[in-house]
Amino acid sequence: DTEVTQTPKHLVMGMTNKKSLKCEQHMGHRAMYWYKQKAKKPPELMFVYSYEKLSINESVPSRFSPECPNSSLLNLHLHALQPEDSALYLCASSHARTARTYEQYFGPGTRLTVT
Amino acid sequence: AQRVTQPEKLLSVFKGAPVELKCNYSYSGSPELFWYVQYSRQRLQLLLRHISRESIKGFTADLNKGETSFHLKKPFAQEEDSAMYYCALRATQGGSEKLVFGKGTKLTVNP
């Protein structure tokens, strides 16, 4: 299995809701990533998990809360979002730092709309 | 500073014409560079990595350390090449690795 899967594909939520995005991979990758992508813009890195520990937080507001319950799963918990948080949220995975070849495998994304 | 610059936001060519998408980087160590492609309604995927020195879908890219460039080239563009192309640099932060992306070039190949 060489795919990263993300659920849900689409999510509409109000500013007072709490929701979660899920990401899963079964490639044995020990690094997982969350990105935010606005239309016609490059992916913006949000968080990196390495061996299930948070290693990079790119100064993301606390209304976004990542969680890595095991080596295959990555969640992004959302609470009290703003309309400007509407975007495509991408998950990716890769071998961790010791790997000679480096490639990030991306999921299809969750299209989030905050109303 | 770790930075990737793609000077062209948009690039439009006719089918069969050569195409070159420019990428310049700034990195203090030994760089590892990639081209990622995002076709309409598809996921972001790796197209090329410089260490493999491969040709994928007719595209090639050579790392030029003197000019700090990693331009993507194809001698004869096809309509199916129309997509968003991102140049990316492998970087280290906090003991982990990440990709630093350029802003991207939208390539349109006209019939």
Side-chain angles (χ1 to χ4, degrees), chain B residues 50-66:
Chain B
H50 91 266
I51 60 171
S52 299
R53 302 185 63 81
E54 58 203 340
S55 173
I56 303 291
K57 298 185 180 182
F59 285 99
T60 58
D62 289 318
L63 179 63
N64 185 324
K65 291 186 180 180

Side-chain angles (χ1 to χ4, degrees), chain A residues 39-51:
Chain A
K40 303 186 184 188
K41 299 289 186 186
E44 291 176 46
L45 184 64
M46 301 173 72
F47 303 103
V48 179
Y49 272 82
S50 181
Y51 295 98

Side-chain angles (χ1 to χ4, degrees), chain B residues 12-43:
Chain B
S12 182
V13 300
F14 285 103
K15 177 182 171 182
V19 63
E20 182 180 47
L21 289 80
K22 291 185 167 47
C23 172
N24 289 90
Y25 66 90
S26 173
Y27 188 66
S28 56
S30 184
E32 187 172 344
L33 285 139
F34 308 84
W35 278 98
Y36 277 79
V37 61
Q38 196 168 29
Y39 300 102
S40 180
R41 302 184 192 282
Q42 292 188 29
R43 67 183 69 198

Side-chain angles (χ1 to χ4, degrees), chain A residues 3-4 33 35 37 41-43 45 50 55-56 58 97 99-104 106-108, chain B residues 32 34 36 38 43-44 46 49 51 84 86 90 92-99 101-103:
Chain A
E3 273 207 345
V4 175
Y33 311 79
Y35 290 88
Q37 188 178 29
K41 299 289 186 186
L45 184 64
S50 181
S55 59
I56 298 177
E58 295 284 33
R97 192 174 178 205
R100 181 178 174 274
T101 57
Y102 183 68
E103 177 178 350
Q104 285 190 23
F106 285 82
Chain B
E32 187 172 344
F34 308 84
Y36 277 79
Q38 196 168 29
R43 67 183 69 198
L44 193 61
L46 178 67
R49 71 184 95 215
I51 60 171
M84 197 73 187
Y86 295 101
R90 181 181 183 179
T92 303
Q93 179 179 332
S96 291
E97 296 195 300
K98 66 177 189 179
L99 290 174
F101 285 94
K103 291 191 184 301

Side-chain angles (χ1 to χ4, degrees), chain A residues 6-13 20-21 87-88 109-113, chain B residues 41:
Chain A
Q6 290 187 245
T7 55
K9 288 186 180 178
H10 301 275
L11 179 62
V12 179
M13 61 185 290
S20 296
L21 309 185
L88 183 68
T110 293
R111 176 75 59 191
L112 174 67
T113 303
Chain B
R41 302 184 192 282

